[in-house]
Amino acid sequence: MALPSATTTTLFRPPPTSHLPPSSSPFFLPLSSSKPRFRCSASTFTSSQQNEAELENKKYDLLKAVQDTQRGLVTTPNQRSEIEESLVDLESFEVGNEAIDLGTLDGTWRLQYTSASDVLVLLDSSSRLPFFQVGQIFQKFECKGEDDGGYVRNVVRWSIPSLLEENEGATLLVSAKFSIVSRRNIFLQFEKIALQNINISEELQALIAPALLPRSFLTLQVLQAIRTFKAQVPVNNTSPGRRSVGGLYYLSYLDRNMLVGRAVGGGGVFVFTRAQNIV
C-alpha cells in the first residue's frame, strides 16, 4: 500500500503511541518502522511489475521466433530449437497445474505457428499449387459460462484464385465438442466437417451473369445457390461402445491474448493470438 499523503496524515491522525497495537495497521505506519515497511511494500510492487514485464517479453520472443516461418511451414533446425526454447520459457510462467479458465478460453484465436502435420499439409499445398490458396486459420471456442467443456471450431479460410474471392473464397469448418478431462487437458470429440461461405470472384460472377445484360431470375438463383451452398460430413463414430473420433489437447499456456496448445501423442504444437470474433 502506498504511503499516505501529507493531507491524509493530517485528516487521519494516528492514536497515541501507547495505544498502538503490536503489529502495524494496514492504514497507518508507525513512526519507528515507517521507512522499512515502505521499502518492503515498494519492493513487492516492483517485483510484480518485473514479473509482468518479463512475461510480456517472453511472449514477444515467441512471436518473434515464429514470424518468419510462414506459420510453421518453413523452419530450419535452429529456428525449431529457438521456438521450442521460447515455448518452454513461456509455459514455465503458467501456474503449475492451474485449472483451465473457460471464460478466458472462450472466443476466437488466430493461428500464428504450428508443427502439426495435418495443418502443414494444407499450407504446403497452398505454396505449391497455383490453384489453391490458404488464408487465415482460426480456432473458435464457445464455452463462456460453462464449467466442464463446450464447443470448438477449427476454421480454415481458403480460395481458388480467379474463381473465388482471394483469401476468403470459402470456409472449411471442423467442429468438435470438448470436455475437460484434467486440469489442463481437454478431449476433443469431432462431430462434422463442413464446406460453407462460398464467395465467388467478380470474374466468375460476370461469366454467370454478365453485368451488361439483365440478370434473369435463373442467374440470380444460381448466384444465390452458390453463396448459400453448404456441404457437411459427420465424423461421429456410431459403433456401440466406441468413443467418437477425437484426441487429447493440452493447453500449456493461456491468458487474455495468447493461447498455446499441444496435441497429446505427438500431434504438434499450436500458437494462437486473440482475434476478433467470427461467425
Side-chain angles (χ1 to χ4, degrees):
M1 178 173 295
L3 184 66
S5 65
T7 303
T8 304
T9 305
T10 302
L11 292 175
F12 298 95
R13 188 182 301 278
T17 304
S18 59
H19 298 290
L20 287 175
S23 60
S24 66
S25 161
F27 301 102
F28 299 102
L29 297 175
L31 296 177
S32 63
S33 59
S34 59
K35 289 184 179 180
R37 290 183 181 276
F38 177 73
R39 286 200 301 269
C40 180
S41 175
S43 176
T44 301
F45 177 76
T46 302
S47 177
S48 176
Q49 292 287 84
Q50 289 176 342
N51 286 339
E52 183 177 352
E54 186 177 359
L55 173 58
E56 292 301 316
N57 286 337
K58 289 188 179 300
K59 290 160 64 176
Y60 172 79
D61 289 342
L62 175 58
L63 293 178
K64 183 179 179 181
V66 305
Q67 70 177 355
D68 295 326
T69 66
Q70 299 180 33
R71 291 179 286 186
L73 176 62
V74 181
T75 57
T76 65
N78 286 339
Q79 283 178 313
R80 290 193 292 272
S81 177
E82 181 182 356
I83 291 169
E84 184 62 27
E85 182 178 346
S86 296
L87 281 168
V88 172
D89 283 347
L90 178 61
E91 290 167 338
S92 68
F93 268 82
E94 188 67 282
V95 177
N97 208 31
E98 182 180 336
I100 299 167
D101 185 346
L102 293 181
T104 303
L105 181 62
D106 182 83
T108 302
W109 301 87
R110 178 184 288 107
L111 180 70
Q112 301 294 339
Y113 171 84
T114 186
S115 60
S117 59
D118 52 348
V119 180
L120 293 180
V121 166
L122 289 176
L123 298 177
D124 183 60
S125 298
S126 177
S127 68
R128 295 174 182 273
L129 303 176
F131 54 84
F132 182 62
Q133 179 186 72
V134 174
Q136 296 293 340
I137 300 176
F138 303 94
Q139 270 193 345
K140 182 181 180 182
F141 285 88
E142 299 174 3
C143 50
K144 190 174 183 179
E146 302 293 336
D147 56 9
D148 60 353
Y151 286 89
V152 58
R153 291 171 173 83
N154 297 312
V155 182
V156 180
R157 298 281 172 77
W158 62 279
S159 179
I160 299 176
S162 300
L163 296 181
L164 304 177
E165 287 186 6
E166 187 175 0
N167 294 322
E168 297 188 2
T171 299
L172 178 66
L173 195 68
V174 182
S175 301
K177 183 178 181 179
F178 77 89
S179 56
I180 298 177
V181 295
S182 69
R183 299 182 71 83
R184 304 299 303 175
N185 285 288
I186 62 177
F187 183 81
L188 305 180
Q189 293 177 274
F190 295 103
E191 296 185 335
K192 63 182 178 181
I193 301 174
L195 175 62
Q196 60 187 48
N197 298 337
I198 297 178
N199 301 306
I200 62 176
S201 65
E202 293 183 358
E203 295 88 343
L204 183 56
Q205 290 186 51
L207 288 175
I208 297 174
L212 299 179
L213 298 177
R215 293 193 172 185
S216 66
F217 176 77
L218 178 60
T219 56
L220 291 175
Q221 286 290 96
V222 171
L223 291 175
Q224 182 64 19
I226 294 174
R227 293 191 186 101
T228 60
F229 174 81
K230 181 178 180 180
Q232 62 183 39
V233 179
V235 293
N236 282 334
N237 192 333
T238 58
S239 302
R242 297 189 63 184
R243 205 171 194 180
S244 300
V245 177
L248 281 174
Y249 194 31
Y250 175 65
L251 302 182
S252 59
Y253 183 84
L254 171 65
D255 67 14
R256 66 185 182 277
N257 53 33
M258 180 170 282
L259 167 65
V260 177
R262 293 180 181 269
V264 177
V269 64
F270 300 84
V271 177
F272 294 92
T273 54
R274 179 78 70 178
Q276 291 185 341
N277 277 333
I278 58 177
V279 179

